[in-house]
Structures are given as C-alpha cells and as structure tokens.
C-alpha cells in the first residue's frame, strides 16, 4: 500500500518562519543596500532623530541632542518605541546604538512580513510582500524611521485581536502608538470592531493599551515640557499644507480635493 501524499500547504509556524526570513532578507537588502554597508548611513531624516534619542534616552533637557531639540524634544522622546528597543539591544551603551538601530529595523521588517502572512494565510507566498508594496514602508525601512516598529506591532496587534487574545493585542498596540502616535487609528478601529461585535470584555482590555502611552506621555510632559502630540514644533513649523498635529493631514485630505 503506497503512502498517501499530503496536499496541505506549510503549517502556520512554517509560514511564519519563511515569511520572517523573507522580511529579514528584504529589510537587510534595503537598509544595507541604500547605505552601501556604512552603518553611519543606515539612517536619515527622522531615523537620525530616533538614533539620537536612543543614544541619549535618559538625557536631561539641557543635554538633549541639539538636532532633536530643534525638532521637538517632547515629540521625539514621546516616540520612544524604536529608540527603547535599540537602547535595550545595545545594553544601554550609547556607542553601540549605531549598530543596534539598523538591527531593530531589520528585525521589525521580518516581524512585519510574518504578520502579513499570518493575517492573509490564503494569499500564499506573496502575502509577506504586501507591506513592502506601500511606498512609505520601504522608505521608512531605509531611513530607520519609527514607523517600522509601529507597523510590525500594529499588525501583530490586529492578529491577536482577531483571535480574541486581548492582552497581547493591547500590549502590542500600546507599543505601536509609542513608536508612532498615528498608530492610534488602529486602536480606534479595533475598539469600534469590538463594539459592533459586542465583545465588551475585549473593548475594555483594548482600552487599557492607552495606560502605558498616557503614563509615558505624562513623564515626557513633566521632563521636557509638553505632551508629545501637542509639542509646539508641530504647529510652529507647519502651515495648512503640511502635516501638523497627528490627524491633521488626513482631515485636510478629506476636506480638500487634490
């Protein structure tokens, strides 16, 4: 009697592993390819601010990097998600952050690809590529922006929320918001879904994801002078066509034609 051949695809854990490795390889190619292997060039724009915060994560107001200070100290320290990860991986050693920052970015691309594969299991191998099709994501990877960890955490938060594993979902969405405050729109969406589905326990637990966010923002306000999303940098240096405070650009795009 001949053994039966299985027609089933790879297991969920295998899909996760394959997608994670795919994301790592693609993320490393983007980061190192753009920088030509030079660690000092693996960040630009907001990525340099992320790296500066990570290197001076406990800095007193007068010791904050001058570039960070000129671009909103409270805002930049409010986005503590990626800097904290780079700082922890560096063992608290500032001079190691230039190495650990791109490592965090590359790891986050792996988790992002794996999350996409987990959320869209029937999309096949191409599921892991979905996040990279959004132009802003590869740009964030190349620049070392906080959006990379925000996207990874938000997608996994959605994954766990859809499976009603509320506490991991809440923790991940909290981290996503602390990486980039605009990830709060994901939390709002999940809470609306919980309300419509009458998952009231989930709604309450998901709301607790704001506790670490508000606690950290309170600390930043006391130490650096402003609640991060109300940092004067967002209003003083922008006009009606620029981003401004979080959500302003979205509202502007809905109210004004292209």
């Amino acid at each position: 009697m001949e053994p039966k051949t299985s027609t089933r695809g790879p297991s969920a854990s295998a899909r996760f592993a394959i997608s994670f490795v795919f994301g790592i390889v693609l993320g490393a190619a983007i980061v190192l390819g753009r920088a030509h292997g030079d660690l000092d060039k693996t960040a630009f724009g907001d990525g340099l601010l992320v790296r500066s915060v990570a290197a001076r994560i406990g800095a007193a107001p007068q010791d904050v990097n001058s570039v960070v200070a000129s671009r909103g100290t409270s805002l930049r320290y409010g986005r503590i998600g990626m800097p904290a990860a780079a700082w922890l991986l560096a063992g608290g050693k500032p001079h190691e952050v230039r190495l650990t920052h791109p490592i965090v970015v590359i790891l986050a691309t792996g988790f992002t690809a794996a999350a996409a594969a987990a959320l869209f299991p029937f999309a096949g191998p191409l599921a892991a590529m979905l996040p990279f099709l959004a132009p802003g994501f590869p740009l964030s990877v190349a620049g070392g922006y906080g959006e990379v960890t925000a996207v990874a955490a938000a997608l996994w938060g959605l994954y766990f929320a859809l499976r009603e594993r509320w506490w991991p979902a809440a923790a991940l969405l909290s981290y996503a918001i602390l990486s980039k405050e605009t990830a709060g729109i994901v939390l709002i969406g999940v809470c609306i879904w919980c309300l419509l589905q009458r998952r009231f326990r989930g709604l309450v637990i998901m709301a607790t994801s704001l506790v670490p966010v508000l606690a950290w923002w309170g600390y930043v306000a006391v130490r650096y002078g402003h609640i991060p999303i109300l940092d004067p940098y967002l209003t003083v240096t922008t006009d009606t066509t620029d981003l401004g405070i979080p959500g302003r650009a979205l509202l502007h795009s809905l109210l004004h034609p292209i």
Side-chain angles (χ1 to χ4, degrees):
M1 183 174 179
E2 295 182 359
K4 293 182 180 180
T5 57
S6 174
T7 58
R8 296 177 60 188
S11 65
S13 58
R15 287 199 307 271
F16 169 83
I18 294 170
S19 300
F20 180 77
V21 171
F22 169 83
I24 290 288
V25 171
L26 188 52
I30 294 172
V31 171
L32 300 178
R34 187 263 169 193
H36 301 290
D38 186 346
L39 285 177
D40 292 326
K41 295 180 180 179
T42 54
F44 59 82
D46 281 2
L48 292 173
L49 301 177
V50 168
R51 190 171 294 186
S52 295
V53 171
R56 302 186 183 188
I57 205 163
Q62 66 273 16
D63 297 326
V64 171
N65 181 284
S66 59
V67 177
V68 173
S70 68
R71 287 166 173 77
T73 301
S74 296
L75 175 66
R76 306 305 169 179
Y77 275 84
R79 297 171 177 175
I80 198 63
M82 182 178 284
W87 178 80
L88 286 172
L89 192 60
K93 300 175 182 177
H95 61 279
E96 298 291 343
V97 167
R98 62 190 289 270
L99 172 62
T100 59
H101 176 221
I103 290 176
V104 169
V105 172
I106 293 170
L107 287 173
T109 61
F111 282 112
T112 299
L119 286 168
F120 302 100
F122 301 109
L126 294 179
M129 292 189 64
L130 291 176
F132 297 90
L133 298 180
F137 187 71
L139 174 64
S140 298
V141 173
Y145 299 172
E147 282 86 347
V148 185
T149 50
V151 169
L155 289 179
W156 278 110
L158 281 175
Y159 175 84
F160 285 116
L162 290 171
R163 284 152 183 79
E164 299 187 31
R165 297 178 63 181
W166 304 117
W167 289 112
L172 285 161
L173 287 179
S174 182
Y175 180 77
I177 296 170
L178 285 171
S179 293
K180 189 64 182 292
E181 62 283 340
T182 46
I185 194 69
V186 180
L187 174 62
I188 293 173
V190 171
C191 288
I192 292 174
W193 178 77
C194 288
L195 188 62
L196 294 176
Q197 296 292 322
R198 297 182 179 275
R199 288 170 166 81
F200 299 117
R201 178 176 176 271
L203 178 63
V204 172
I205 294 175
M206 294 308 302
T208 65
S209 64
L210 290 176
V211 174
V213 174
L214 296 177
W216 179 254
W217 284 1
Y219 167 79
V220 170
V222 171
R223 188 167 180 82
Y224 299 112
H226 305 282
I227 296 173
I229 60 173
L230 299 179
D231 193 299
Y233 172 79
L234 290 170
T235 53
V236 172
T237 63
T238 60
D239 55 34
T240 57
T241 62
D242 290 329
L243 293 178
I245 62 174
R248 180 178 178 180
L250 176 61
L251 181 62
H252 186 272
S253 68
L254 294 174
L255 296 179
H256 298 80
I258 297 176

